[in-house]
Amino acid sequence: EAGVAQSPRYKIIEKRQSVAFWCNPISGHATLYWYQQILGQGPKLLIQFQNNGVVDDSQLPKDRFSAERLKGVDSTLKIQPAKLEDSAVYLCASSRPSGRAYTGELFFGEGSRLTVL
Amino acid sequence: AQTVTQSQPEMSVQEAETVTLSCTYDTSESDYYLFWYKQPPSRQMILVIRQEAYKQQNATENRFSVNFQKAAKSFSLKISDSQLGDAAMYFCAYRSAVIFGTLTFGKGTMLLVSP
């Protein structure tokens, strides 16, 4: 079974520029998550999709971050314009819905490391 | 909102010895999952062990076991016979058992393993 795929692995940009990250979840996983992990901290949820609908985006800085999941499969996370404090690893994860029939486990991609200069 | 607290920023252990990582959480729910994830430096986050709140028996996966105390809202991870490859950041995480429950992480504990 193929894992969660993310690209690019690394990206360096100047502040005020834009950047986009792509994620392809595990086949059959309807739930997709984007997390932000700042160095030395635990991941923080940015947005959660169920198929192509948003379940939770309460911590997404909507003035600069946007995300979409077209056709309920791949997803793109965009930052525009980037700030210095956006330097982090952006993790994509997927899962089956939580509940008694499933394990509740999230499967993570390798992450996309963003450096904003 | 649920919170997860890991009070040990860093722990050290020698090879072949046992170490316990602590985690507490706060929730008003009765049905949920608890996880320990391992994140080696610059590498992918992977699941170490999982516990379902409705199960009283503590989960075990080879050298990894948990001590789940539901009333105390405590979920510690014990690593036996530590190996150099166990060195990583370990995150405790909570997920509600409701169908769209999100995963909430603690801040992590860095485990150092010395020969």
Side-chain angles (χ1 to χ4, degrees):
Chain A
E1 178 181 67
V4 176
Q6 288 189 248
S7 67
R9 288 293 311 280
Y10 304 93
K11 189 75 175 179
I12 301 174
I13 61 173
E14 302 273 337
K15 61 183 179 184
R16 291 187 290 275
Q17 287 186 327
S18 63
V19 63
F21 302 111
W22 172 84
C23 174
N24 180 248
I26 292 173
S27 177
H29 283 191
T31 312
L32 185 146
Y33 312 76
W34 284 102
Y35 282 85
Q36 180 192 57
Q37 186 177 20
I38 293 172
L39 185 65
Q41 297 184 19
K44 181 185 83 171
L45 180 70
L46 292 176
I47 190 167
Q48 177 183 348
F49 291 96
Q50 177 65 22
N51 296 311
N52 59 348
V54 175
V55 174
D56 184 350
D57 64 355
S58 57
Q59 298 192 85
L60 185 74
K62 298 180 183 66
D63 58 333
R64 297 183 301 104
F65 286 66
S66 65
E68 61 180 7
R69 190 181 184 197
L70 299 177
K71 300 180 182 178
V73 182
D74 293 6
S75 178
T76 303
L77 175 70
K78 297 179 181 177
I79 307 174
Q80 182 179 14
K83 292 186 175 181
L84 297 177
E85 58 261 38
D86 297 333
S87 294
V89 176
Y90 291 86
L91 298 170
C92 181
S94 70
S95 76
R96 302 179 186 276
S98 188
R100 199 47 66 227
Y102 302 113
T103 65
E105 177 184 354
L106 269 64
F107 296 82
F108 286 84
E110 293 183 313
S112 294
R113 182 178 298 275
L114 174 65
T115 301
V116 182
L117 303 176
Chain B
Q2 294 81 20
T3 58
V4 178
T5 302
Q6 294 179 251
S7 58
Q8 306 155 316
E10 188 176 284
M11 293 285 285
S12 295
V13 66
Q14 289 195 314
E15 265 189 302
E17 297 197 338
T18 297
V19 64
T20 299
L21 308 184
S22 301
C23 172
T24 59
Y25 58 96
D26 187 26
T27 184
S28 57
E29 298 177 324
S30 59
D31 199 7
Y32 48 86
Y33 301 102
L34 294 165
F35 305 88
W36 280 98
Y37 278 87
K38 170 185 177 181
Q39 188 178 43
S42 299
R43 293 187 63 186
Q44 197 168 4
M45 182 139 6
I46 58 173
L47 180 68
V48 174
I49 198 164
R50 168 184 55 244
Q51 176 78 42
E52 293 163 89
Y54 72 91
K55 290 185 177 179
Q56 292 188 332
Q57 186 172 7
N58 289 323
T60 299
E61 289 287 343
N62 300 314
R63 298 182 294 108
F64 299 88
S65 61
V66 298
N67 183 3
F68 172 48
Q69 301 289 328
K70 190 172 184 178
K73 297 180 183 176
S74 171
F75 183 61
S76 61
L77 174 70
K78 185 171 82 170
I79 306 174
S80 304
D81 187 25
S82 296
Q83 301 175 358
L84 294 177
D86 295 334
M89 183 72 89
Y90 286 80
F91 292 99
C92 179
Y94 172 103
R95 184 181 187 190
S96 171
V98 300
I99 192 165
F100 295 136
T102 59
L103 192 66
T104 301
F105 286 89
K107 291 187 175 182
T109 297
M110 175 62 76
L111 179 66
L112 306 174
V113 183
S114 55

